[in-house]
Amino acid sequence: MKPCVALVDCNNFYASCEKLFRPDLQDVPLIVLSNNDGCVVARSREAKALGIRMGVPVFQIQEEIRRHGMAVFSSNYALYAEISARVMRILEDWVPRMEVYSIDEAFLDFSGMQTDRQRTDYGQRMRQQIRQWTGITVCVGIAPTRTLAKMANLAAKRYKATGGVVDLCDRARQRRLMSLLPVHEVWGVGDRLSQRLQALGIQTALELADCAPSWIRQQFSLTLERTVRELNGQSCIAWEEGPVPKQQIVCSRSFGQRVTTRAAMQAALCVYVSRAAEKLRQENREAQRLTVFIRTGAFNPQEPYYANTASGALPVHSADTRHLLKLALRLLEAIWREGFRYAKAGVMLSEFQEPGRGTQDMFEEVAVQQRSVRLMQTLDQIRQRGLGRVFVARQGTLQQQSWAMRRATLSPAYTTRWNDIPQVC
DNA sequence: TCTGGGGTCCTAGGACCC
DNA sequence: TCTGGGGTCCTAGGACCC
């Protein structure tokens, strides 16, 4: 049985989610902003047509926003995650095996489907059902390897005549498409690599595909060698069996307003540690290592720049917010410098173990450990059931959090909060 | 004035050991 | 003056992805 994989990718995902609940914005150019309303992370078809670039800082395009009457939304991840889950649930029923790759895309196992026609029809029917059941439009790229499926998907998005589904199992078609694509459009080739490749005279995807894998390995890396092999139809990325446990958990934010006092920084870290610890417990893991980082703004050359990181280990693995927080605050003391205007901070948890299997404290009483676990369970349940929010006092009340992130134009929680359910009048 | 957040994998080089 | 070689483990940093 020939291996075959389909990549299903939602079009303009965040922008499309916002439009689902705002039919009045159907043909209006719409952009979605990053956390803190900093830069553009998603654009509707119309906004792309106006030349709005991905990642551009919003303040640089204020004039265009006004002139074209663009709709602007702060990012609403709760909404996008919910719509994503609906799309993924539908896809699951179409194939024996699937891997969710990101919030808006998934790889599906299409092995066993014999003909070009069969595969394309299947893709079209999936696409139809997703649009009908969720309102989201997807494109489908089908090929023998993931790297080629990515490329097929790109073609499905770019060329209207394809009807949103491209089958790239035929070698001649693969080569024709690759000859048209600049090398930086290959999955796994970013800015740095494409510059180096171009310096060696490799401009197109096809030219990269025709390089000797061993030479690429020697000049670049194992990763790029795999890419070359994948472009030639040799699959180098295996299917994951079951969900992959995380190796690290990060919580970091830019501040809505610069932080200048130690107390405010401690409060912010407190929020980040609490959030990271919640995620850790959701993964059913305990962590041993915690890293804290802080930095000033990176873009203003006039302003003194300072950035630093401190990392430390807990004596035993833990998922208790209080233990992690104590370490975080101690680490902060090592890197905190007065007199800077801090723009961003974050914490990272790593070195995970399943509860009870990590380093243990021989002298701590079992009862104390059990109390810790039960306390954290209780906190999580209060939050998950929406009964309110219990937090560590140090983070301060919302009114005190002048550094909290800006979300000026957040859409309602249409799918996750009763009060925000859309009404039809 | 205002420029995101959360991940993964790989590699080079240092520390350490015998 | 001459001062080995090879292996492993860890970490920081680079590059990539969405």
Side-chain angles (χ1 to χ4, degrees):
Chain A
M1 193 164 65
K2 271 196 178 159
C4 182
V5 50
L7 175 66
V8 178
D9 190 318
C10 303
N11 297 3
N12 316 320
F13 185 58
Y14 295 173
S16 304
C17 288
E18 295 293 349
K19 284 199 175 187
L20 281 184
F21 296 90
R22 291 291 301 272
D24 56 309
L25 299 177
Q26 187 66 41
D27 301 311
V28 175
L30 181 152
I31 56 176
V32 178
L33 309 184
S34 64
N35 272 335
N36 228 20
D37 294 346
C39 47
V40 176
V41 294
R43 306 150 295 160
S44 71
R45 186 170 39 84
E46 302 80 9
K48 284 180 182 172
L50 289 172
I52 303 300
R53 281 169 304 122
M54 180 71 171
V56 69
V58 196
F59 72 88
Q60 286 175 8
I61 55 164
Q62 283 304 346
E63 169 53 25
E64 279 122 300
I65 291 175
R66 198 193 50 76
R67 183 152 34 96
H68 296 115
M70 273 191 247
V72 180
F73 286 88
S74 303
S75 39
N76 186 343
Y77 288 103
L79 175 66
Y80 313 148
E82 166 62 23
I83 305 297
S84 168
R86 293 182 189 180
V87 172
M88 299 306 171
R89 273 198 298 273
I90 295 170
L91 285 175
E92 262 170 13
D93 287 340
W94 283 85
V95 282
R97 181 157 63 171
M98 138 173 163
E99 233 177 270
V100 176
Y101 178 68
S102 76
I103 194 163
D104 73 334
E105 59 191 311
F107 289 107
L108 279 64
D109 192 349
F110 264 37
S111 306
M113 271 181 270
Q114 299 301 322
T115 64
D116 174 328
R117 182 62 188 277
Q118 206 179 6
R119 292 185 293 262
T120 319
D121 283 354
Y122 209 73
Q124 285 294 359
R125 276 157 49 210
M126 284 186 339
R127 187 166 187 263
Q128 184 76 34
Q129 189 177 75
I130 289 168
R131 184 149 46 184
Q132 204 165 17
W133 290 11
T134 67
I136 294 290
T137 306
V138 301
C139 282
V140 185
I142 306 160
T145 67
R146 292 185 182 205
T147 307
L148 286 169
K150 271 271 181 189
M151 193 172 286
N153 191 284
L154 191 149
K157 284 221 167 74
R158 189 165 296 173
Y159 306 116
K160 268 265 149 40
T162 62
V165 179
V166 166
D167 179 87
L168 204 59
C169 288
D170 175 67
R171 189 65 193 147
R173 288 193 82 189
Q174 291 167 15
R175 292 186 68 84
R176 194 158 62 238
L177 178 58
M178 285 195 285
S179 72
L180 296 172
L181 290 183
V183 71
H184 73 256
E185 296 199 275
V186 174
W187 188 43
V189 179
D191 263 0
R192 294 304 183 92
L193 281 175
S194 63
Q195 274 173 33
R196 286 176 59 198
L197 285 165
Q198 282 172 34
L200 292 168
I202 298 158
Q203 309 282 344
T204 66
L206 185 60
E207 285 164 350
L208 177 60
D210 285 340
C211 289
S214 57
W215 180 77
I216 288 288
R217 168 77 187 257
Q218 177 215 329
Q219 292 286 316
F220 295 89
S221 66
L222 172 62
T223 325
L224 194 62
E225 180 192 351
R226 278 189 200 138
T227 300
V228 169
R229 292 184 185 279
E230 285 246 324
L231 287 177
N232 286 289
Q234 181 185 349
S235 175
C236 300
I237 307 168
W239 290 92
E240 296 287 356
E241 303 300 335
V244 189
K246 284 193 189 1
Q247 298 182 37
Q248 59 178 46
I249 289 171
V250 178
C251 184
S252 75
R253 294 272 181 290
S254 295
F255 301 128
Q257 279 175 39
R258 296 298 164 95
V259 162
T260 53
T261 68
R262 186 188 305 234
M265 184 64 88
Q266 288 170 335
L269 282 185
C270 196
V271 173
Y272 303 163
V273 170
S274 304
R275 180 75 195 105
E278 278 165 13
K279 288 196 227 172
L280 181 65
R281 297 191 294 267
Q282 252 167 31
E283 284 274 306
N284 191 32
R285 286 291 182 278
E286 294 177 342
Q288 186 149 38
R289 179 157 294 275
L290 185 146
T291 305
V292 172
F293 65 90
I294 58 177
R295 70 164 174 80
T296 60
F299 295 96
N300 183 358
Q302 313 302 327
E303 200 179 322
Y305 181 75
Y306 172 69
N308 211 342
T309 304
S311 178
L314 291 168
V316 297
H317 283 84
S318 172
D320 187 316
T321 304
R322 299 165 302 170
H323 300 161
L324 296 164
L325 183 58
K326 200 171 149 196
L327 175 56
L329 293 174
R330 184 156 60 74
L331 292 168
L332 174 64
E333 288 313 299
I335 53 175
W336 172 260
R337 300 282 179 278
E338 277 306 326
F340 289 101
R341 296 172 63 241
Y342 292 95
K344 183 175 180 177
V347 299
M348 181 172 99
L349 305 179
S350 54
E351 294 177 10
F352 297 162
Q353 262 297 347
E354 282 171 55
R357 301 193 58 176
T359 324
Q360 308 273 320
D361 186 338
M362 276 173 59
F363 303 105
E364 190 180 45
E365 283 178 52
V366 174
V368 176
Q369 288 170 23
Q370 285 175 347
R371 260 206 307 278
S372 156
V373 170
R374 278 208 305 274
L375 175 62
M376 292 302 126
Q377 278 171 354
T378 308
L379 284 186
D380 291 339
Q381 279 168 13
I382 290 173
R383 182 175 43 82
Q384 280 157 13
R385 294 182 190 165
L387 298 173
R389 202 151 170 118
V390 180
F391 55 88
V392 186
R394 189 152 211 161
Q395 72 185 49
T397 62
L398 283 177
Q399 291 76 39
Q400 292 166 336
Q401 294 176 359
S402 60
W403 41 268
M405 75 175 167
R406 274 192 303 269
R407 296 213 285 181
T409 52
L410 183 63
S411 51
Y414 297 112
T415 60
T416 49
R417 191 185 301 151
W418 287 112
N419 289 339
D420 288 352
I421 285 184
Q423 295 177 10
V424 180
C425 303

